[in-house]
Amino acid sequence: MYDVDDTIVALSTPPGPSGIGVVRLSGPAASSIARVIFRPRSGELIADRRMRLGRVVDPNSGETIDEALAVLFNAPQSYTCQDVAEIHCHGGPAVLAGVLELARRHGARQAEPGEFTMRAFINGRLDLAQAEAVAALIEAQTAGGARQAARQLGGALSEEVARMRDALVGRLAQLEAAIDFPEDELPLLDTQAAVDELERVRVRCDELARTFPAGRLLTHGARVAIVGRPNVGKSSLFNALLRRERALVHESPGTTRDVVEDRLLFDGIPATLCDTAGLRSDEQCSDPVERAGIERTRGNLEQADVVLAVFDLTQQIERDDLDLWRSLVDRPALAVLNKVDIANQDAAQQWRSEVDAPLAKATSAKTGLGVDELAHALGELICEAADVGTADAIVISARHADLVREAQSALIAAIEALSQDLAPEFAAFELRRAVRCLGSIIGRADSPDGAEQLEREVIERIFSTFCIGK
């Protein structure tokens, strides 16, 4: 466990040469350390929220390390709710290393990864969802992802989750009152009203969980798997979309043994194109290396946000083709009918009909015919998969998605218990699970005293709502 009462220092800008580099300190000695190693040009002390021009100086030798700017942010009006000092230097690695060493020599400790944001969370500046949004904002690969992370940082998801959790705590208080105080003349629980409210929260959990694929895509970009049987032209199509020879192409089937990746941009959304080993059954493949490649293809297929399923127009439709396309029916996918340049004129229409892929794109990866139209359709599919409409609160974290799904599962069980008029303990148990899941999103159940905090909230709600022991 970190000591949150000491003073930490770290570089707040990316490492490597740059025009500006920012060294940040946080903790009780932040301002005193800054005043020791920074000498304002005007002779005035650096002050709260006032940028000063001066020099970073080694107090022992009097040597100037750099000409810089410095500013203080006094507690609690700072990112960490502690005293914070920032020194804005030139971004040379040697200069920044020198400033960091001076700060450490005069009492600061090198910060651990994420420790500034951890202090902001511990000190109540951010809840857990907002703290995670900081990392998401930094890592966002798209403008849409940055906007969603900024909304989460601003509290959009936290406020939504807090409202749902509060509604569940209210219903849990009613159930606990019926369990713990059966001898008191309490109002009868309106079961239908409770079921209706739990159902509203369940539906909202479901809606939030369904935003995760789009939220993940917006934050990290799309992963596009190019799959199909051996020798259908996957590597040629991969190269054609990239417009360069990236993957090895050979007429021998099974040339691709591993996943080959490269990046493209579709309407501002980065996509990782993945050329994969050809899919065929173990009976058709005796080479253990090729089998390993096929296993990687299957894993890549499961992780893909969008799939390009490639078929060879010069070959007869096989059961493997049909099985592959049918397995993608509920996923963002395009059927690509390749080798149109050497197929007969009716082949594409026959494939569309028999494989039930009316929007399939006919291409020739070798000549480039139809590749531009395919790229356009792929871009539209990626944008459609990333569309979250007008929703302010969406899920961009796998942890949050798992928690809202678990909360939804608990609510389904609680609704069933209430609807079947089971003992209130059954519904209360599931409601507690749902409350803890939602609380974990915003950091109100993950702490060691999370359970005690919930108990206090329930007890306070009971006594504020009902007249117990009058």
Side-chain angles (χ1 to χ4, degrees), residues 95-115:
V95 169
L96 295 171
V99 177
L100 287 167
E101 174 58 28
L102 277 180
R104 288 193 295 265
R105 194 191 307 164
H106 287 84
R109 168 176 64 81
Q110 181 67 40
E112 299 290 339
E115 192 171 359

Side-chain angles (χ1 to χ4, degrees), residues 6 11 18-19 39 43 51 91 125-126 134 147 157 160 202 224 231 281 287 300 351-353 371 390 398 415 433 464:
D6 60 359
L11 183 63
S18 60
R39 308 281 174 82
M51 192 74 79
R125 171 69 172 77
L126 304 171
V134 174
R147 283 195 298 272
L157 179 63
E160 179 80 13
R202 185 205 66 77
V224 181
N231 223 26
S281 65
D287 186 342
N300 202 272
W351 267 83
R352 289 188 178 97
S353 175
V371 172
T390 59
I415 290 169
R433 182 159 69 99
S464 65

Side-chain angles (χ1 to χ4, degrees), residues 280-453:
R280 53 179 168 177
S281 65
D282 290 343
E283 293 77 15
Q284 297 173 306
C285 174
S286 59
D287 186 342
V289 178
E290 186 180 354
R291 284 186 180 180
I294 291 171
E295 285 304 310
R296 292 196 176 188
T297 295
R298 290 172 178 149
N300 202 272
L301 180 58
E302 290 179 4
Q303 297 171 8
D305 299 296
V306 177
V307 179
L308 293 182
V310 186
F311 304 102
D312 185 346
L313 282 179
T314 67
Q315 300 293 322
Q316 293 293 321
I317 300 172
E318 295 189 5
R319 183 174 184 81
D320 288 345
D321 296 325
L322 297 173
D323 289 344
L324 172 61
W325 184 243
R326 287 167 183 164
S327 72
L328 302 173
V329 65
D330 294 323
R331 299 182 58 182
L334 280 173
V336 183
L337 311 182
N338 197 32
K339 304 186 183 181
V340 68
D341 55 318
I342 56 176
N344 67 63
Q345 294 183 350
D346 298 327
Q349 188 55 43
Q350 180 183 355
W351 267 83
R352 289 188 178 97
S353 175
E354 292 193 36
V355 182
D356 192 21
L359 300 180
K361 301 299 177 183
T363 65
S364 169
K366 184 176 181 179
T367 67
L369 181 65
V371 172
D372 287 344
E373 290 81 358
L374 173 63
H376 179 73
L378 177 59
E380 288 185 336
L381 194 60
I382 290 172
C383 290
E384 182 180 332
D387 184 17
V388 293
T390 59
D392 283 333
I394 73 167
V395 172
I396 59 177
S397 157
R399 188 182 79 88
H400 296 170
D402 290 341
L403 286 168
V404 293
R405 290 191 193 104
E406 187 178 346
Q408 182 183 9
S409 173
L411 287 170
I412 290 172
I415 290 169
E416 184 177 352
L418 288 172
S419 300
Q420 294 179 2
D421 200 25
L422 300 179
E425 286 86 351
F426 291 98
F429 175 82
E430 297 296 345
L431 267 186
R432 283 179 177 276
R433 182 159 69 99
V435 168
R436 287 183 181 127
C437 288
L438 295 179
S440 292
I441 294 175
I442 53 179
R444 293 176 66 179
D446 283 337
S447 61
D449 65 341
E452 295 180 9
Q453 178 181 338

Side-chain angles (χ1 to χ4, degrees), residues 1-11 24-26 29 33 82 100 103-113 115-116 118-119:
M1 180 65 69
Y2 302 136
D3 181 357
V4 297
D5 295 321
D6 60 359
T7 299
I8 56 176
V9 66
L11 183 63
R24 177 188 285 173
L25 299 103
S26 178
I33 293 172
Q82 298 177 318
L100 287 167
R104 288 193 295 265
R105 194 191 307 164
H106 287 84
R109 168 176 64 81
Q110 181 67 40
E112 299 290 339
E115 192 171 359
F116 284 90
M118 186 194 72
R119 292 190 176 199

Side-chain angles (χ1 to χ4, degrees), residues 241-312:
L241 287 168
L242 293 172
R243 300 184 186 281
R244 61 190 179 91
E245 296 298 315
R246 174 67 174 82
L248 176 64
V249 175
H250 195 273
E251 62 184 12
S252 302
T255 302
T256 302
R257 301 297 185 92
D258 205 347
V259 177
V260 182
E261 300 181 357
D262 215 319
R263 303 271 278 182
L264 273 179
L265 199 65
F266 292 96
D267 292 334
I269 299 176
T272 300
L273 288 184
C274 307
D275 180 27
T276 65
L279 289 168
R280 53 179 168 177
S281 65
D282 290 343
E283 293 77 15
Q284 297 173 306
C285 174
S286 59
D287 186 342
V289 178
E290 186 180 354
R291 284 186 180 180
I294 291 171
E295 285 304 310
R296 292 196 176 188
T297 295
R298 290 172 178 149
N300 202 272
L301 180 58
E302 290 179 4
Q303 297 171 8
D305 299 296
V306 177
V307 179
L308 293 182
V310 186
F311 304 102
D312 185 346

